[in-house]
Amino acid sequence: MPVGPDAARWVTRRSVRTVLVIVHTVTSGQRLLDIVHLLATDLRVQVVFTIGPDVFGNGVTELLNRIGGVVLPWHLVIRHRFDLAVAAAYGGIEEVHAPLIVLPHGAGYNKRVSRRTRGGPAGVRGVYGLSPQELVRDGTVVPAAIVLAHDVELRRLGRSCPEAVPVAEVVGDPCHDRLMASAHLRPAYRRALGVGDDRELVVVTSTWGTGSLFGRRAELLPRLLAELPRDRYRVAMLLHPNVWFGHGIWQIQGWLADSVRGGLALVSPEADWRGALVAADHVVGDHGSVAVYGAACGASVLLAGEATDDLDPESAGGLLAATAPVLRPDRPPAAQLADAAARRPGLRPVAARLTSAPGEFDRNMRRLMYRLMRLPQPRTLARTEPVPPPFVSAPA
């Protein structure tokens, strides 16, 4: 391994800096892969990975095996010093010896959470990622840099954790930028999902948890497949990785086998889900980030999850919840999709709330990382690449 007291004996190339990528979940890992590509070609930098402590760690090992990164065990990581660390979740971050960058793994910082310890009463709820619960340990702000997507988030952080403001930086949103860079490939993504020019793609998306669309309204899929004319509509499903890996791929494929036989395109958990959003005409979703990104792509949005007060109203997700129409069980789905399409212009403020630095994430993020590593940036320009085409899950 390229880390440790004897590393110099075994490596072929000695790096100038070593960067640790802390992957807690598949969701955070997907976000971090958008970050580390900015370092991949630099011969001075060795990138290594570790699996951070998290209840949703299932699937992370397989993700890291697929990309072929060097994976260090957590017990070794917390005994070694690195030149930089990057994380998109917070478990164990205070144990890492490195200048640490934290960033959101979704559409900004949306959810208000509270922590219960040993069955005790819930404390004051803070926004996950903007509160002292995640950012402060023993009176000290843990991250060396907190990545924000929008100027509004800086004001929100100032109210919830003012001591962290000096290390916060508005960098932008990598997912937004890659979606925009992929827009010209929309026809290819639609072909990958079996959608012709004469059909409309309806992407049903669910976050995880009992209040999610899949947790509360799984019967919606058979209804859409039965009531939307097949010669006009194609229905695809995007499930949060915590659903896939919390229940198991085999189980999800089994639960949805009848819907797949009925025409559902079940997007694989190994696929890049963003291509399906670029291809979508309509998104039927819940309070998760994917519906927010769908609005940014120009799709109409119908909300179908449980109404929740967990969303911060100042976030992009909170703004979508206050703006988008709600799918009603007493009206035909096709009519509601048409109505939602007519209301697309009303979602523009949601897209605008995602980032105040559109198209600038890669440039800003690379500058931040090299500054913390105290290393000159490469002379090449950082390019935002399109996402690969989506593909569907194999039948159960």
Side-chain angles (χ1 to χ4, degrees):
M1 291 185 178
V3 170
D6 294 327
R9 295 179 58 194
W10 310 115
V11 296
T12 300
R13 184 173 182 86
R14 296 184 182 181
S15 56
V16 178
R17 299 287 188 271
T18 303
V19 176
L20 175 69
V21 181
I22 308 169
V23 183
H24 291 83
T25 65
V26 171
T27 308
S28 66
Q30 291 171 341
R31 175 56 58 93
L32 291 169
L33 291 179
D34 281 343
I35 311 307
V36 295
H37 85 95
L38 298 169
L39 306 171
T41 62
D42 193 335
L43 290 168
R44 301 168 298 171
V45 177
Q46 169 72 57
V47 176
V48 297
F49 298 82
T50 191
I51 301 175
D54 197 281
V55 68
F56 283 113
N58 191 21
V60 174
T61 298
E62 292 78 7
L63 171 67
L64 296 179
N65 286 341
R66 278 200 306 275
I67 67 172
V70 172
V71 182
L72 306 181
W74 183 254
H75 69 84
L76 175 61
V77 160
I78 61 177
R79 291 161 42 201
H80 189 78
R81 183 167 294 279
F82 298 88
D83 298 295
L84 181 69
V86 187
Y90 304 91
I93 59 173
E94 72 279 3
E95 299 183 78
V96 174
H97 304 290
L100 172 69
I101 300 174
V102 294
L103 62 153
H105 57 252
Y109 300 93
N110 289 315
K111 292 185 180 180
R112 295 186 291 202
V113 296
S114 59
R115 260 183 209 162
R116 288 183 172 88
T117 303
R118 298 178 184 175
V124 177
R125 296 199 302 169
V127 176
Y128 181 76
L130 297 181
S131 73
Q133 286 183 4
E134 293 83 38
L135 301 175
V136 179
R137 297 289 188 279
D138 298 326
T140 301
V141 176
V142 175
I146 300 167
V147 168
L148 307 176
H150 201 284
D151 295 331
V152 170
E153 293 176 342
L154 190 60
R155 297 197 293 271
R156 293 164 65 201
L157 179 65
R159 293 197 299 270
S160 62
C161 190
E163 60 268 44
V165 169
V167 299
E169 193 158 332
V170 178
V171 174
D173 185 308
C175 193
H176 169 276
D177 289 358
R178 292 202 71 188
L179 287 167
M180 298 304 105
S182 304
H184 69 286
L185 293 176
R186 173 178 160 88
Y189 299 153
R190 290 171 66 83
R191 286 194 299 270
L193 293 173
V195 183
D197 294 338
D198 57 343
R199 298 172 81 191
E200 298 178 31
L201 178 62
V202 181
V203 173
V204 182
T205 174
S206 177
T207 188
W208 66 277
T210 56
S212 67
L213 185 151
F214 191 61
R216 289 275 181 172
R217 299 192 62 181
E219 78 286 347
L220 179 61
L221 278 175
R223 181 190 173 198
L224 292 176
L225 291 167
E227 296 187 28
L228 292 176
R230 287 202 191 183
D231 60 347
R232 183 177 173 187
Y233 295 97
R234 170 77 154 148
V235 180
M237 181 79 189
L238 287 176
L239 287 170
H240 193 286
N242 288 357
V243 181
W244 280 107
F245 297 107
H247 293 280
I249 293 175
W250 177 87
Q251 184 65 81
I252 296 299
Q253 289 177 334
W255 281 341
L256 295 178
D258 288 341
S259 293
V260 170
R261 284 190 285 269
L264 176 70
L266 178 59
V267 178
S268 170
E270 297 180 358
D272 194 309
W273 52 271
R274 291 170 291 195
L277 282 190
V278 175
D281 298 287
H282 312 279
V283 171
V284 178
D286 52 22
H287 56 279
S289 293
V290 176
V292 180
Y293 286 123
C297 288
S300 68
V301 177
L302 276 170
L303 296 179
E306 182 184 42
T308 177
D309 63 352
D310 290 339
L311 287 174
D312 188 308
E314 292 188 74
S315 69
L319 189 57
L320 180 69
T323 305
V326 175
L327 184 68
R328 293 170 46 182
D330 59 339
R331 292 190 61 207
Q336 295 186 71
L337 291 175
D339 290 347
R343 296 173 61 174
R344 277 186 186 129
L347 299 180
R348 288 172 186 157
V350 176
R353 185 62 60 85
L354 267 174
T355 175
S356 54
E360 298 180 11
F361 179 87
D362 281 1
R363 183 185 66 182
N364 293 339
M365 187 69 190
R366 190 172 77 168
R367 183 172 59 233
L368 172 61
M369 289 191 292
Y370 277 88
R371 187 178 79 222
L372 290 179
M373 287 192 290
R374 299 183 180 182
L375 200 62
Q377 289 190 62
R379 294 183 179 180
T380 56
L381 295 176
R383 281 186 58 187
T384 303
E385 299 290 341
V387 300
F391 53 91
V392 299
S393 179

